[in-house]
Amino acid sequence: MTSFGHSFDTGPAGREGDRPVLTLRQALAGALILVVLTAVVTLAVSDRVEGFWLRLFPQSVALTDAEKQQLLDELVRSPNFDRFLTVFQLVRNQYVDPLPVDQLLEGATRGVVEATGDPFSAYFDPQEFREFQIDVSGHYSGIGVVVSEGKDGGVVVQTPFEGSPGATTPFEGAGPDDPVGLRPGDVIISVDGQDVTGESVEAVARRIRGPEGTQVTLEVLREGYDKPLKFVLTRRNIDVPSVQAHMLDGKIGYIHLTQFLPDTPDDFDAALDELRRQGMQGLILDLRNNPGGELQAVVRIADRLLPRGPIVHIEYRHRGRETHSSDAGALGLPLAVLVNQGSASASEILAGAIQDYGVGVLVGEHTFGKGTVQTVWPLDGKGRAGLGRRGEEGAGVKLTVARYLTPKERPIVMGKGIEPDVHVPFDLENLEGMGDLRRDPQLRAAYQRVEQMVAGGA
């Protein structure tokens, strides 16, 4: 299988808005919400990717002094604000250990975002935001595996990257007949001797990552083994491949998109050109376990596959509807698209558009169901919006800002997603065979459909 690489550039920073003149009482309120207020002062200026679909707008929007004053007045008038001040003072004066004001403000800031009740909106402290930026860059130092939440809880190995430490390191005591490396479906139970069975995917990933050349010890549970398996792995720099491609029998091309990064469209074009050069007569596009990514990336790829018309409609609270469209020039080959419950956001945009236009058949299971768009506002070390000066430790805020619809204006319902045209289940226990035509029932079904279309069948 051929992997196509990508690069990642850091965008320029925003600028700070002017500070308002406040009364003493308003200053008390302002001190408590300073980080939250300034999170909306300036928008950053470049598109990025996240585990789900993320977007940053390319213009600056400053909060005026009058708007700040109005917001502070609303806070001061709210009866809940007096309650907040009372709780704040009680914690400061009565809690068993003294706590710094900055720590309390950090918690209050996080609480404002959590009050939305939206699982895709979040406040990141500086450490969390550093990890977030690693996630969106596709470059990090670690062991080279994708982890996800298991269907019964816990953190499981989803995909080891070919040639990575996670894929090439045997477990301690392995015999000659034991498979080498971590395997899809392995359940991670400890990292460096620390029990992680109750931790989130993000927390476990942070434990596993670290400086290049250092070691990390994992214990995993694997089906067919009575005891946990212990892996001692040496971290190295990892470039996450977003496009993998090869030719199957019968001149049917296979392209696996792991996520939508800024360079994914160029890598997709390169893969498509190489498969065409080899005489490709049909294509299978694998979007399984693809959590999404950059708006412009999925739009550019959809433009390669769809006829002229809308690709996606985005509906904002204040800006109304924005439509991204394709020009003339579709793929023009039989096409099947593999999807499952790990196909989210930008993956659902592409799958939904292909289904709406009828230019391909969707095979697998229903998609994740995430019909929303997020924006991230980076904050510098003082809580101002912007990427911060070089070397500063900044926090960040991620908020859901819009919903999207397919070309035929179908909404993507949370938890329901998009239903495939051909339903084929794939159990977690069989993940090791994913991508193998002999062992992957979904891939085999897609292959048979494309093969029929190439032959002129139904």
Side-chain angles (χ1 to χ4, degrees), residues 82-103:
D82 284 337
R83 183 190 306 156
F84 173 76
L85 288 178
T86 300
V87 172
F88 191 91
Q89 188 71 352
L90 280 171
V91 173
R92 284 192 67 197
N93 293 337
Q94 301 300 324
Y95 183 69
V96 63
D97 295 318
L99 297 172
V101 170
D102 285 349
Q103 182 177 339

Side-chain angles (χ1 to χ4, degrees), residues 16 33 62-63 134 191-192 196 199 212 253 282 294 319 327 329 334 350 363 377 418 443 455:
E16 179 188 3
I33 62 162
L63 198 66
I134 290 173
V191 179
D192 286 335
V196 298
E199 295 190 5
E212 182 182 17
E294 185 189 54
R319 296 170 51 192
D327 59 19
L350 182 55
V363 178
W377 288 267
I418 296 171
L443 177 58

Side-chain angles (χ1 to χ4, degrees), residues 148-153 156-158 179 182-187 221-225 288-289 340 365 425-436 439-442:
S148 61
E149 184 176 351
K151 64 179 181 180
D152 298 320
V156 302
V157 174
Q158 178 178 304
L182 293 161
R183 312 300 294 172
D186 285 352
V187 181
L221 298 178
R222 178 178 295 174
E223 185 179 3
Y225 290 79
R288 292 175 297 179
N289 300 322
N340 66 3
E365 300 166 295
F426 197 138
D427 295 333
L428 180 66
E429 288 76 16
N430 296 326
L431 274 180
E432 186 175 341
M434 184 173 283
D436 185 332
R439 295 187 292 168
D440 185 337
Q442 294 174 338

Side-chain angles (χ1 to χ4, degrees), residues 11-23:
R15 62 178 178 83
E16 179 188 3
D18 297 329
R19 297 174 180 268
V21 177
L22 307 176
T23 66

Side-chain angles (χ1 to χ4, degrees), residues 122-179:
Y123 167 76
F124 304 110
D125 65 26
Q127 178 181 344
E128 291 167 339
F129 197 52
R130 283 197 305 273
E131 297 294 332
F132 173 83
Q133 290 172 310
I134 290 173
D135 289 339
V136 304
S137 72
H139 305 288
Y140 68 97
S141 177
I143 64 171
V145 299
V146 176
V147 294
S148 61
E149 184 176 351
K151 64 179 181 180
D152 298 320
V155 176
V156 302
V157 174
Q158 178 178 304
T159 306
F161 296 141
E162 185 177 352
S164 69
T168 59
T169 304
F171 61 84
E172 289 189 349
D177 296 330
D178 289 311

Side-chain angles (χ1 to χ4, degrees), residues 31-282:
L32 294 173
I33 62 162
L34 179 61
V35 178
V36 179
L37 274 177
T38 52
V40 295
V41 173
T42 308
L43 295 175
V45 294
S46 61
D47 289 342
R48 286 296 178 265
V49 184
E50 197 219 339
F52 295 111
W53 191 14
L54 167 67
R55 187 180 181 190
L56 287 86
F57 300 103
Q59 74 265 25
S60 176
V61 181
L63 198 66
T64 66
D65 288 354
E67 289 170 331
K68 291 181 182 180
Q69 193 80 26
Q70 180 182 0
L71 182 53
L72 289 171
D73 287 343
E74 291 177 6
L75 289 169
V76 169
R77 288 196 302 269
S78 171
N80 289 337
F81 184 70
D82 284 337
R83 183 190 306 156
F84 173 76
L85 288 178
T86 300
V87 172
F88 191 91
Q89 188 71 352
L90 280 171
V91 173
R92 284 192 67 197
N93 293 337
Q94 301 300 324
Y95 183 69
V96 63
D97 295 318
L99 297 172
V101 170
D102 285 349
Q103 182 177 339
L104 299 180
L105 291 176
E106 188 83 358
T109 303
R110 189 181 301 275
V112 170
V113 181
E114 290 177 351
T116 65
D118 176 23
F120 306 114
S121 294
Y123 167 76
F124 304 110
D125 65 26
Q127 178 181 344
E128 291 167 339
F129 197 52
R130 283 197 305 273
E131 297 294 332
F132 173 83
Q133 290 172 310
I134 290 173
D135 289 339
V136 304
S137 72
H139 305 288
Y140 68 97
S141 177
I143 64 171
V145 299
V146 176
V147 294
S148 61
E149 184 176 351
K151 64 179 181 180
D152 298 320
V155 176
V156 302
V157 174
Q158 178 178 304
T159 306
F161 296 141
E162 185 177 352
S164 69
T168 59
T169 304
F171 61 84
E172 289 189 349
D177 296 330
D178 289 311
V180 176
L182 293 161
R183 312 300 294 172
D186 285 352
V187 181
I188 300 173
I189 59 172
S190 78
V191 179
D192 286 335
Q194 296 292 316
D195 184 357
V196 298
T197 53
E199 295 190 5
S200 67
V201 173
E202 293 78 11
V204 173
R206 284 197 296 270
R207 288 183 181 274
I208 295 174
R209 287 194 289 256
E212 182 182 17
T214 59
Q215 289 189 330
V216 59
T217 300
L218 269 61
E219 285 190 316
V220 305
L221 298 178
R222 178 178 295 174
E223 185 179 3
Y225 290 79
D226 296 333
K227 297 186 298 184
L229 307 181
K230 184 177 181 179
F231 290 83
V232 180
L233 306 114
T234 301
R235 301 178 177 102
R236 67 174 174 83
N237 289 331
I238 303 293
D239 289 327
V240 181
S242 66
V243 180
Q244 297 176 326
H246 65 276
M247 186 72 80
L248 300 172
D249 293 339
K251 298 296 183 180
I252 295 175
Y254 172 84
I255 298 179
H256 182 200
L257 299 182
T258 61
Q259 55 188 322
F260 294 92
L261 297 171
D263 284 352
T264 301
D266 292 336
D267 296 338
F268 178 79
D269 284 348
L272 206 59
D273 289 345
E274 174 61 22
L275 291 171
R276 285 186 184 277
R277 188 188 66 78
Q278 296 178 33
M280 176 175 62
Q281 297 179 14

